[in-house]
Amino acid sequence: MSLQDLRRFDVPFDDIKKQREYAAMAKSVLDARMGNGKKLAYVHTFGCQGNVSDSERLKGWLRLIGYSFTEDIERADLVLYNTCAIREHAHDRVFGNVGALKPLKAKNPDMIIVLCGCMMQQEHVWQKIKKSYPYVNLVFGTHSHHRLPELLYKVLRSGKRVFDVFDTEGYIAEGMPVSRDGTFKGWLPIMYGCNNFCSYCIVPYVRGRERSRKSEEVLAEARGLIASGCKDITLLGQNVNSYNRGSDEMSFAQLLREINAIEGDFRIRFMTSHPKDCTFELLDAMAECEKVSKHLHLPCQSGNDRVLGEMNRGYTREKYLSLIAYARKVMPDISLTSDIIVGFPGETYEEFRDTLSLIEEVGFTSLYTFIYSPREGTKAASMPDPVSREEKGKWFRELTSAQENIASKRCQKMLGETYRVLAEEYKGGILSGRTDGSVMIDFPGDESLVGSFCQVKVTAARNWILSGEISR
Ligand code: 5AD
Ligand code: SF4
């Protein structure tokens, strides 16, 4: 275990070159051991799109080391879990999955088990893995992704377990290989970490300080994605609105304009936006850029000012509503989605009702709703929390059923309208895909259309599930 307090810096390109050498060395060890046959890796990602994007880079390394990927864990020579710490549920699922690897490892003692990501960044977690899960070979935190080849090589050479977790403000590593999950949809990280310290959230502790990738790097990656046929680019960051904050570099609104100017038929999305940093300038840029989806995911978390204050969100209900009003003024058809936490410590039913009234007032397309989950080390985890889980469950159901009504009314309004939909999946003659506003529509069509934009007329709306047909 190396516990250092390193300052944030960009990883020198020579270090990445060195990692490529480690990848070649790890490959030779594996080839000598296992022959030149196929080496299979099973990679599973828990949590958000940020993790999915990180996994694409980890898979890039694994591919360079000679692994192909399998969905069948029983056949895997290497299992990698990229973990999430955001709520108790994600945390428990990871431990359940790691526990289930024990009999697999007993059957195949050469199997290499790797755990990484947000959960591993927490000391109480990696200590527990160290003590109680002796069959795990390699554990690394969120700051070591660019060093996977070196760490794996260490495991292979020494036969010992390797733990590599340390605290730092965080790095930016460019030049890692990427093995993308899809061809027509691409995740594009523009920044890492978070500085907001919302009082309930573990992210700033496990992901380090906010840092932005250079715009040249982001633009080059965007051009590469588009040249390779990508139709849907999602720019990722915990708080994309503060891209390059505190510097003279390109703002997020400018970045959107630059990507929008790249030639090609594609759409641009982004997440997540923080209401405290969302500006009218950004909403104007969204409105002006024809390739930017008219969809804004703007987590409000609560509709009550006292609760927002305790959450350390940095805005009021009024400020939130003023952003929504401006967004609707400049983009009348904009689709709005949000995240909401129910049962924050000390929240009363009256205060929760302010959240209900907010969602009625805004009329979101959809919501991601969560019951508050205490995270060790956060400020909210030590606040008095008198409301029972059962009671919070009731509030939660009240919220989700209110949202179902709102969504089904919105869906009814979409009947008869035609939307541009990117066909994403095909099953038994039915394609499904999302509109620019991120609404799913099912429609009959040929499998060859997967990855293309189709004009789809909405012909039926059952609650919030839409179906349609290709309109010519
Ligand atoms: N409990 C419940 N929900 C949480 N989120 C973040 N931390 C917690 C927590 N401790 C939710 C927030 C955030 C989303 C990604 O996860 O709504 O926007
Ligand atoms: Fe967590 Fe708040 Fe940062 Fe989002 S903005 S990752 S909720 S601390």
Side-chain angles (χ1 to χ4, degrees):
M1 169 71 43
S2 50
L3 259 171
Q4 313 154 39
D5 187 18
L6 296 170
R7 281 195 53 74
R8 184 224 137 173
F9 66 98
D10 293 345
V11 175
F13 193 65
D14 275 354
D15 287 11
I16 299 295
K17 251 170 72 187
K18 186 92 197 138
Q19 292 301 322
R20 288 180 181 266
E21 287 162 23
Y22 276 118
M25 279 149 59
K27 183 170 188 305
S28 329
V29 175
L30 285 167
D31 286 347
R33 260 185 221 173
M34 301 168 64
N36 284 331
K38 255 195 170 176
K39 293 173 265 298
L40 293 176
Y42 174 92
V43 174
H44 186 78
T45 309
F46 297 83
C48 66
Q49 283 82 3
N51 263 17
V52 172
S53 163
D54 285 346
S55 288
E56 289 185 335
R57 280 157 161 84
L58 295 167
K59 283 166 87 174
W61 282 132
L62 290 176
R63 196 175 282 285
L64 210 63
I65 297 169
Y67 287 97
S68 314
F69 300 103
T70 176
E71 298 284 307
D72 180 0
I73 196 166
E74 303 260 345
R75 294 176 60 215
D77 304 298
L78 179 145
V79 172
L80 181 145
Y81 286 148
N82 190 4
T83 65
C84 168
I86 196 115
R87 283 171 292 274
E88 191 86 46
H89 178 65
H91 176 108
D92 291 347
R93 274 180 59 212
V94 168
F95 273 114
N97 278 270
V98 176
L101 290 176
K102 193 176 178 184
L104 277 185
K105 180 90 173 196
K107 253 201 269 169
N108 174 10
D110 290 334
M111 174 189 266
I112 297 168
I113 299 177
V114 184
L115 305 181
C116 61
C118 295
M119 229 173 112
M120 298 306 132
Q121 196 63 34
Q122 297 174 286
E123 181 161 354
H124 64 99
V125 173
W126 64 253
Q127 290 284 14
K128 181 166 165 184
I129 300 284
K130 200 168 198 178
K131 204 167 134 224
S132 311
Y133 298 81
Y135 49 90
V136 172
N137 303 87
L138 170 59
V139 170
F140 57 90
T142 55
H143 303 301
S144 308
H145 288 164
H146 60 283
R147 292 175 51 235
L148 171 62
E150 179 183 352
L151 300 172
L152 188 60
Y153 178 69
K154 244 189 193 172
V155 170
L156 292 170
R157 277 305 297 263
S158 69
K160 295 199 178 121
R161 310 173 75 199
V162 172
F163 284 71
D164 191 272
V165 187
F166 54 89
D167 276 326
T168 159
E169 292 184 354
Y171 307 105
I172 294 192
E174 299 293 355
M176 279 196 263
V178 188
S179 175
R180 296 197 187 269
D181 293 338
T183 50
F184 58 88
K185 271 168 67 179
W187 307 114
L188 177 38
I190 64 165
M191 58 198 300
Y192 305 100
C194 183
N195 283 358
N196 293 313
F197 291 93
C198 299
S199 60
Y200 51 80
C201 189
I202 195 73
V203 168
Y205 301 92
V206 294
R207 286 271 172 185
R209 295 292 60 73
E210 191 174 282
R211 52 211 186 269
S212 301
R213 287 179 76 190
K214 290 199 175 82
S215 55
E216 307 92 85
E217 298 283 357
V218 174
L219 288 168
E221 193 167 339
R223 282 189 205 101
L225 278 166
I226 293 155
S228 67
C230 183
K231 302 279 182 216
D232 183 309
I233 297 182
T234 306
L235 309 176
L236 293 175
Q238 294 297 341
N239 180 6
V240 290
N241 311 120
S242 65
Y243 178 70
N244 275 333
R245 182 168 48 188
S247 77
D248 304 333
E249 306 281 317
M250 193 181 282
S251 69
F252 183 59
Q254 279 169 284
L255 182 72
L256 277 185
R257 289 198 162 93
E258 295 274 337
I259 300 179
N260 189 65
I262 302 174
E263 246 174 68
D265 185 21
F266 62 94
R267 69 183 174 198
I268 308 163
R269 309 164 184 277
F270 56 88
M271 64 192 311
T272 294
S273 292
H274 195 306
K276 131 180 110 61
D277 298 304
C278 182
T279 57
F280 287 178
E281 184 207 358
L282 169 68
L283 298 172
D284 288 338
M286 271 184 89
E288 283 160 30
C289 293
E290 74 287 356
K291 289 172 191 157
V292 173
S293 275
K294 302 302 177 258
H295 168 215
L296 183 63
H297 181 65
L298 196 64
C300 58
Q301 313 295 359
S302 163
N304 175 272
D305 284 346
R306 191 197 68 82
V307 175
L308 286 171
E310 290 293 306
M311 286 177 164
N312 191 30
R313 290 291 288 174
Y315 55 87
T316 58
R317 176 187 177 107
E318 194 187 341
K319 152 102 196 249
Y320 186 86
L321 287 171
S322 74
L323 285 168
I324 300 290
Y326 190 78
R328 286 219 161 107
K329 183 174 146 211
V330 293
M331 293 169 280
D333 293 330
I334 193 168
S335 165
L336 297 157
T337 57
S338 200
D339 294 348
I340 288 187
I341 297 178
V342 174
F344 181 80
E347 183 178 37
T348 64
Y349 183 67
E350 279 309 303
E351 288 167 338
F352 164 70
R353 287 182 63 83
D354 287 340
T355 301
L356 283 179
S357 75
L358 182 89
I359 69 156
E360 294 286 352
E361 196 165 338
V362 176
F364 291 104
T365 304
S366 58
L367 284 181
Y368 297 87
T369 48
F370 310 102
I371 293 186
Y372 168 72
S373 169
R375 309 315 294 133
E376 196 172 314
T378 60
K379 192 165 172 224
S382 57
M383 294 179 182
D385 191 3
V387 177
S388 69
R389 181 83 190 184
E390 201 191 352
E391 186 64 16
K392 291 182 185 184
K394 276 195 215 149
W395 302 1
F396 182 82
R397 286 188 294 279
E398 203 174 335
L399 178 71
T400 49
S401 82
Q403 176 56 28
E404 279 167 17
N405 276 331
I406 295 167
S408 83
K409 276 188 211 140
R410 290 194 70 83
C411 285
Q412 291 298 329
K413 281 200 194 137
M414 292 172 76
L415 262 175
E417 300 289 329
T418 299
Y419 295 89
R420 193 172 76 134
V421 173
L422 178 63
E424 293 178 21
E425 274 179 37
Y426 172 87
K427 215 173 172 187
I430 302 291
L431 291 161
S432 56
R434 281 180 302 167
T435 64
D436 279 350
S438 237
V439 180
M440 284 298 285
I441 306 185
D442 290 344
F443 53 101
D446 195 81
E447 190 169 9
S448 62
L449 290 173
V450 170
S452 324
F453 287 110
C454 304
Q455 290 294 328
V456 179
K457 182 172 175 185
V458 178
T459 51
R462 275 165 292 116
N463 299 324
W464 60 97
I465 300 169
L466 294 175
S467 40
E469 58 193 32
I470 295 179
S471 74
R472 286 163 218 284

